[in-house]
Amino acid sequence: ERVLADEADLAIVSPRPATSAVAFGLLAVQRLALAVPAGHPLAERASVHLSEAADADFITMHPEFGLRRILEERCAAAGFRPRIAFESSESFTVAGLVAAGLGVALLPVDEDPLWPPGLVLVPMSGPAPTREVGLIWRPDTALPRAVRAFRDYALDS
């Protein structure tokens, strides 16, 4: 919204916007896993189908966040609607609440995660869910030189 309102030149977003009013440059594709607390019945599994967590309380992002939309879409595809126990605007808070045993979540699997102790990320069976993270900008607006240089550097790295 800020990019479209000319309040920001660039934004980091996920998932990819459905509008052609902004250009999108892919920064990363993150695999997602079911986050459970250590000691949870699914924590020792090699993989899990999301439907196996249908009766769990979910901890997730607020509705306007892309990861929340991905969770709701994946749960619908698995045949259930998630029961939301807690919402946050910070993924590390979500991870901390899961590690404390307050529910489960869908979280990205990072190469070098900084997740709290007691959090277990269980891979999803079947095609692994992913999310795209990228930069957006208005293609019809001339970007300042420094902004263009940053965008190009970020996309080439």
Side-chain angles (χ1 to χ4, degrees), residues 52-66:
E52 295 178 79
D55 293 332
D57 288 333
F58 277 82
I59 302 166
T60 187
M61 306 300 281
H62 291 291
E64 64 272 12
F65 283 79

Side-chain angles (χ1 to χ4, degrees), residues 2 5 27 29 45-46 50 54 56 61 64 90 100 110 130 132 141:
R2 288 183 177 177
L27 294 173
V29 176
R45 298 274 301 276
L50 189 57
M61 306 300 281
E64 64 272 12
E90 173 55 53
D110 293 326
T130 60
E132 293 180 320
T141 301

Side-chain angles (χ1 to χ4, degrees), residues 121-145:
L121 295 172
V122 184
M124 306 296 282
S125 59
T130 60
R131 75 170 177 171
E132 293 180 320
V133 179
L135 278 175
I136 60 166
W137 62 94
R138 289 190 51 177
D140 60 347
T141 301
L143 296 173
R145 188 172 66 84

Side-chain angles (χ1 to χ4, degrees), residues 47-136:
S47 66
V48 64
H49 190 276
L50 189 57
S51 64
E52 295 178 79
D55 293 332
D57 288 333
F58 277 82
I59 302 166
T60 187
M61 306 300 281
H62 291 291
E64 64 272 12
F65 283 79
L67 194 54
R68 170 69 170 266
R69 289 193 301 268
I70 292 169
L71 171 69
E72 290 175 348
E73 290 169 1
R74 298 299 294 200
C75 289
F80 71 98
R81 185 174 179 174
R83 185 174 59 238
I84 307 299
F86 295 98
E87 296 176 329
S88 176
S89 57
E90 173 55 53
S91 60
F92 291 105
T93 300
V94 170
L97 292 170
V98 171
L102 300 175
V104 302
L106 197 61
L107 289 173
V109 178
D110 293 326
E111 294 299 320
D112 186 19
L114 299 174
W115 298 128
L119 183 80
V120 178
L121 295 172
V122 184
M124 306 296 282
S125 59
T130 60
R131 75 170 177 171
E132 293 180 320
V133 179
L135 278 175
I136 60 166

